[in-house]
Amino acid sequence: MNKDDIKRVAKLIKNSSKTMVLTGAGISTESGIPDFRTPNTGLWEKVDPMEALSTSVLYNNPKKFYNEGFKMLLGMTEAEPNRAHFALAEMERLGYIKGVITQNIDNLHYRAGSKYILEVHGNTREGSCMECGNKVELEVLTDKVNNGEIPPKCDNCGGILRPDVVFFGDMLPEDFEISLHEVETSDLLIVIGSSLTVSPVNYLPQVAKEFVIINVGPTAMDSFAEVKIEESAGKTLEAILDELEKE
Ligand SMILES: [Zn+2]
């Protein structure tokens, strides 16, 4: 690891009055969750997630949605946070960052202890009724599906229940608008584990005053970053945290 890069990032954080973090699938690979855009990564191999996890399948073929896509979502709820998630929770606690914007739906920032989390693709903790909007824990959906109720129905109105994950074809949640505002009013954005190819999250660095990228592999915005670190998120964030705490 390049020590000068770590020092430069720590200095940018110290000089910034407000810093936000944006995380993508790359931060969770150390927790064993494959990036579902990468082919041949086990969990996603048998089913095309672009199809099985889309609003059109959910609305038109809820049985297929629950038999295929929903099972992939459940696989995510079993992973554990890794040292990158814990380092970010610690940075927030110590006041170095304001919060985390994440593309991930694996709940791992939440479980690592982060407090201010903007989930631009939703989460796998809750579900809601597509008719009346009634909110329920995701376990309610899981229990119903396991008992053969496919698709699971709302106890209030009989409408179909869905996970609160943003699927292909869904509108963006309010968290995205808030994220945009947070980045626009920050001095620094730290991008971690995202190749910045997914719209509209790839727009965020463009509205940031300054940004750094921690990602294994090239991203669309490398040449505009103050610093680009080509290392795993866990190791890098621990080194940055150590550097921040030195003085
Ligand atoms: Zn309902």
Side-chain angles (χ1 to χ4, degrees):
M1 196 171 343
N2 184 327
K3 281 212 172 109
D4 288 340
D5 284 346
I6 299 295
K7 282 192 173 139
R8 281 169 68 203
V9 176
K11 199 174 169 198
L12 285 167
I13 294 172
K14 284 210 163 164
N15 290 340
S16 163
S17 61
K18 177 174 159 186
T19 300
M20 288 296 291
V21 171
L22 168 65
T23 67
I27 195 171
S28 294
T29 49
E30 285 173 70
S31 292
I33 297 177
D35 182 345
F36 66 78
R37 281 170 205 89
T38 311
N40 307 317
T41 43
L43 184 62
W44 311 93
E45 236 172 304
K46 293 174 198 129
V47 182
D48 178 3
M50 298 292 276
E51 213 225 318
L53 288 175
S54 68
T55 44
S56 76
V57 174
L58 178 63
Y59 282 75
N60 300 318
N61 193 350
K63 281 199 170 162
K64 179 183 166 80
F65 177 88
Y66 276 99
N67 283 322
E68 295 179 4
F70 190 64
K71 296 207 169 120
M72 293 194 287
L73 292 182
L74 293 184
M76 274 191 188
T77 62
E78 287 156 18
E80 296 294 328
N82 65 55
R83 54 191 185 151
H85 298 102
F86 288 116
L88 288 177
E90 184 69 358
M91 283 184 192
E92 180 185 5
R93 196 183 67 80
L94 295 168
Y96 293 119
I97 62 170
K98 179 172 180 191
V100 178
I101 300 161
T102 188
Q103 297 172 261
N104 301 334
I105 54 170
D106 52 29
N107 307 327
L108 296 182
H109 289 298
Y110 181 84
R111 286 174 55 205
S114 283
K115 298 282 182 265
Y116 186 44
I117 310 164
L118 294 163
E119 296 171 314
V120 296
H121 290 170
N123 68 72
T124 44
R125 290 185 301 280
E126 295 168 318
S128 55
C129 172
M130 299 205 287
E131 293 297 325
C132 73
N134 179 35
K135 284 240 175 212
V136 293
E137 299 273 303
L138 192 76
E139 278 107 61
V140 172
L141 276 74
T142 313
D143 288 347
K144 284 176 185 280
V145 168
N146 287 342
N147 289 329
E149 191 181 323
I150 296 177
K153 300 274 176 64
C154 173
D155 289 337
N156 291 356
C157 76
I160 293 176
L161 294 170
R162 61 163 291 172
D164 285 346
V165 171
V166 178
F167 296 119
F168 306 101
D170 268 326
M171 281 176 51
L172 282 169
E174 193 192 5
D175 274 11
F176 183 71
E177 288 300 321
I178 302 169
S179 300
L180 202 53
H181 175 75
E182 291 289 12
V183 173
E184 279 171 340
T185 55
S186 291
D187 290 330
L188 179 67
L189 175 70
I190 304 172
V191 179
I192 303 165
S194 173
S195 54
L196 295 172
T197 49
V198 179
S199 179
V201 162
N202 59 0
Y203 183 62
L204 294 174
Q206 298 177 40
V207 299
K209 284 196 188 86
E210 289 185 316
F211 64 93
V212 302
I213 299 173
I214 301 164
N215 190 60
V216 178
T219 84
M221 301 284 284
D222 282 358
S223 55
F224 303 103
E226 298 298 315
V227 183
K228 164 74 194 291
I229 297 180
E230 191 88 23
E231 293 271 6
S232 82
K235 194 164 76 170
T236 306
L237 289 172
E238 281 182 349
I240 292 169
L241 188 55
D242 280 351
E243 185 65 32
L244 287 166
E245 290 291 274
K246 254 185 191 168
E247 288 141 48

